[in-house]
């Protein structure tokens, strides 16, 4: 019965996306990217034998898989990288550590069977929350080793409910489950799972690697020199309204905003919100002698290197589904601020407990706390050091994952 319900929900998901594609660009991209996927996949993989298949939902999950992907590639493995979301695929379709990048087809029984038959993966690695049960079943039937990387489990998930037998059965099919923390491990142990271990979060390894060789941004470095700088990363509209109040209330503080979405409509909205002293990054590069109060980054891929210029950091997303990656900033030893929806992020909760990260619910709170630490260099630097040390102490997950994989598959 549960299988019937699940397959029906997948049908409804596909129908809903197809319907929304009539007026939603992202849904339209989702549909377009999956047209003739069987033919396209066969052609693309014609010279790639038995790749390790790694599946991410979108960009956030990719960052957790990335250190392992690159470590496997260094060992000579062939990599097939798939995404569910257009934002992941479109930004990473030319990712140089993957032999091929594709969408995952909708998780119907036939799609899953055909996908695994075409790919013939050496192993399948799903990232964090990606539980596509028909694809897992197809891998199991083809004797493909299955892994979950950077898993996070919570008591409200189906696996731990009284009706969760069907979902738990699929967890038993994994060759190994790598979880990020003790809480997740305890939940798995409570339902009899013995195929799991605590590896930690591979993103710590990734941000450390980036921080050792950040992108050279000489014009931005020159602009920031001698100023107190707020960097607001992966922001949404509600975040930007808060940042705008600091920008207008603290004219001595320079602001860099790197929004989550860099489409023209959103960029225009930010520039209007920030006022005449704001400038797009591309415009600033064309006139590096200008001295805007606010620079709005209108390209992707720079944020993790820009964070090093900050005195204070604001992480976006906390007024929506949840905050974005705060480790990218913490690795540089920065004090962090973010919105109220951070509870699903273990690293944010731990830094909050250390007193080196601060949730805010409105602009007034942010202005008060931000001003406090802008005026107190010693306190700001001490709290930042705590965050930098925290990141270093939690590194090493990638090596643990590769060691375990090596004991199960030949990598």
């Amino acid at each position: 019965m549960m299988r019937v319900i699940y397959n029906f929900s997948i049908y409804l998901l596909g129908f809903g996306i197809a319907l929304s594609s009539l007026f939603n660009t992202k849904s339209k991209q989702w549909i377009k990217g999956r047209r003739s996927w069987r033919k396209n996949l066969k052609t693309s993989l014609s010279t790639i034998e038995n790749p390790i298949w790694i599946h991410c939902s979108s960009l956030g999950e990719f960052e957790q898989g990335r250190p392992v992907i690159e470590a496997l590639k260094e060992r000579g493995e062939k990599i097939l990288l798939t995404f569910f979301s257009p934002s992941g695929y479109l930004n990473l379709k030319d990712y140089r550590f993957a032999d091929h990048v594709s969408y995952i087809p909708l998780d119907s029984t036939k799609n899953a069977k055909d996908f695994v038959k075409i790919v013939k993966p050496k192993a399948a690695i799903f990232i964090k929350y990606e539980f596509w049960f028909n694809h897992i079943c197809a891998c199991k039937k083809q004797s493909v080793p299955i892994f979950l990387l950077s898993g996070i489990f919570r008591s409200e998930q189906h696996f731990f409910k009284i009706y969760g037998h069907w979902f738990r059965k699929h967890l038993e099919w994994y060759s190994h489950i790598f979880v990020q923390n003790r809480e997740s491990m305890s939940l798995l142990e409570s339902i009899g799972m013995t195929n799991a271990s605590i590896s930690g979060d591979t993103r710590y390894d990734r941000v450390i690697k980036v921080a050792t060789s950040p992108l050279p941004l000489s014009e931005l470095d020159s602009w920031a020199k001698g100023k107190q700088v707020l960097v607001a990363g992966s922001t949404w509209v509600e975040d930007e309204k808060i940042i705008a109040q600091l920008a207008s209330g603290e004219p001595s503080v320079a602001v860099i905003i790197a929004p989550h979405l860099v489409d023209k409509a959103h960029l225009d909205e930010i520039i209007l919100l920030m006022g005449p002293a704001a400038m797009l990054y591309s415009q600033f590069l064309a006139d590096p002698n200008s001295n805007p109060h606010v620079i709005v980054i209108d390209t992707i891929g720079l944020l993790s290197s820009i964070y090093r210029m900050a005195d204070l950091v604001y992480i976006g997303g906390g007024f929506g589904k949840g905050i974005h990656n705060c480790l990218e900033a913490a690795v540089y030893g920065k004090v962090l601020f973010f919105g109220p929806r951070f509870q699903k992020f273990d690293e944010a909760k731990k830094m909050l407990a250390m007193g080196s990260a601060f949730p805010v619910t409105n602009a007034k709170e942010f202005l008060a706390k931000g001003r406090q630490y802008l005026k107190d260099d010693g306190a700001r630097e001490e709290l930042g050091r705590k965050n930098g040390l925290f990141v270093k102490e939690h590194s090493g997950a990638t090596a643990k994952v590769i060691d375990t994989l090596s004991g199960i598959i030949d990598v």
Side-chain angles (χ1 to χ4, degrees):
M1 175 59 73
M2 192 58 69
R3 183 182 182 88
V4 172
I5 294 173
Y6 176 78
N7 284 333
F8 183 65
S9 71
I10 292 295
Y11 167 78
L12 289 179
L13 173 64
F15 178 77
I17 294 173
L19 187 63
S20 67
S21 70
L22 299 174
F23 51 84
N24 182 278
T25 300
K26 191 172 182 178
S27 296
K28 190 177 296 183
Q29 291 168 337
W30 193 97
I31 295 292
K32 181 180 178 181
R34 287 166 171 80
R35 287 178 187 156
S36 304
W37 68 263
R38 291 174 177 83
K39 178 182 176 182
N40 294 336
L41 195 62
K42 285 178 182 177
T43 301
S44 300
L45 296 183
S46 60
T47 60
I48 304 172
E49 293 186 7
N50 304 119
I52 293 180
W53 168 35
I54 300 175
H55 175 66
C56 316
S57 175
S58 192
L59 290 172
E61 290 76 15
F62 168 75
E63 286 301 319
Q64 294 193 290
R66 184 172 189 161
V68 171
I69 294 170
E70 295 182 5
L72 290 170
K73 193 64 181 172
E74 287 172 1
R75 290 174 172 240
E77 296 295 332
K78 300 294 184 182
I79 302 294
L80 168 65
L81 176 62
T82 62
F83 290 96
F84 180 78
S85 166
S87 63
Y89 172 77
L90 293 174
N91 283 306
L92 289 156
K93 56 187 174 65
D94 298 318
Y95 176 52
R96 66 189 182 93
F97 287 96
D99 295 275
H100 182 61
V101 182
S102 174
Y103 285 103
I104 190 174
L106 195 65
D107 193 37
S108 69
T109 302
K110 179 168 175 50
N111 281 353
K113 180 181 177 181
D114 290 350
F115 181 86
V116 174
K117 185 177 180 180
I118 293 168
V119 174
K120 299 180 179 64
K122 179 177 181 178
I125 301 176
F126 296 88
I127 310 296
K128 198 173 182 178
Y129 299 127
E130 289 301 276
F131 301 105
W132 295 108
F133 296 106
N134 283 319
H135 280 81
I136 292 169
C137 183
C139 286
K140 177 67 175 177
K141 288 181 177 179
Q142 295 296 320
S143 300
V144 175
I146 312 163
F147 300 90
L148 182 71
L149 178 64
S150 292
I152 289 282
F153 290 90
R154 298 185 177 86
S155 58
E156 62 266 24
Q157 289 173 304
H158 298 307
F159 308 108
F160 312 106
K161 301 297 185 181
I162 193 169
Y163 58 82
H165 173 75
W166 185 79
F167 299 98
R168 289 192 291 271
K169 178 179 68 175
H170 290 80
L171 291 185
E172 296 172 0
W173 293 348
Y174 282 84
S175 298
H176 200 82
I177 298 171
F178 299 98
V179 298
Q180 294 187 33
N181 54 37
R182 165 45 61 184
E183 294 80 3
S184 295
M185 189 69 186
S186 296
L187 282 168
L188 290 177
E189 290 172 343
S190 74
I191 57 172
M193 295 296 120
T194 59
N195 55 341
S197 64
I198 303 172
S199 62
D201 188 342
T202 52
R203 290 179 305 155
Y204 290 91
D205 301 325
R206 172 63 186 167
V207 298
I208 289 172
K209 183 177 181 180
V210 170
T212 58
S213 55
L215 296 173
L217 302 168
S218 56
E219 293 88 356
L220 208 53
D221 279 321
S222 297
W223 171 84
K225 188 175 181 180
K227 299 175 181 177
Q228 286 193 309
V229 178
L230 167 71
V231 175
S234 297
T235 58
W236 296 80
V237 173
E238 289 303 314
D239 305 306
E240 289 144 11
K241 290 178 180 177
I242 289 176
I243 302 304
Q245 294 202 37
L246 182 135
S248 61
E250 290 291 333
S252 63
V253 178
V255 178
I256 303 174
I257 301 176
H260 182 69
L261 299 175
V262 292
D263 59 278
K264 186 179 184 303
H266 189 202
L267 293 170
D268 289 345
E269 186 178 4
I270 298 171
I271 292 294
L272 182 64
L273 182 65
M274 297 297 159
M279 180 181 286
L280 293 177
Y281 179 60
S282 58
Q283 295 171 335
F284 168 72
L285 290 180
D287 183 15
N289 292 321
S290 61
N291 190 29
H293 179 43
V294 179
I295 293 179
V296 181
I297 306 300
D298 53 351
T299 187
I300 63 169
L302 304 184
L303 180 58
S304 58
S305 296
I306 290 173
Y307 277 132
R308 62 184 164 81
M309 306 174 191
D311 292 285
L312 296 180
V313 169
Y314 180 98
I315 306 294
F319 289 89
K321 293 182 179 179
I323 63 171
H324 292 278
N325 189 351
C326 60
L327 297 177
E328 291 180 328
V331 69
Y332 293 108
K334 307 299 179 181
V335 179
L336 307 183
F337 294 83
F338 39 73
R341 294 180 181 169
F342 62 88
Q343 292 81 4
K344 289 184 177 181
F345 302 90
D346 192 54
E347 65 276 10
K349 291 190 293 184
K350 287 178 178 176
M351 285 187 274
L352 175 62
M354 294 191 306
S356 52
F358 304 95
V360 295
T361 58
N362 53 53
K364 184 178 179 180
E365 289 181 9
F366 179 53
L367 283 168
K369 206 72 176 177
R371 283 168 173 161
Q372 174 186 340
Y373 286 105
L374 285 170
K375 292 176 181 177
D376 192 338
D377 294 346
R380 185 178 71 249
E381 290 170 5
E382 176 58 28
L383 294 184
R385 276 194 292 270
K386 284 186 178 182
N387 285 341
L389 182 60
F390 169 80
V391 173
K392 291 178 182 177
E393 289 175 343
H394 287 78
S395 63
T398 303
K400 292 178 183 178
V401 169
I402 294 298
D403 284 347
T404 302
L405 286 176
S406 298
I408 299 173
I409 60 175
D410 180 23
V411 297

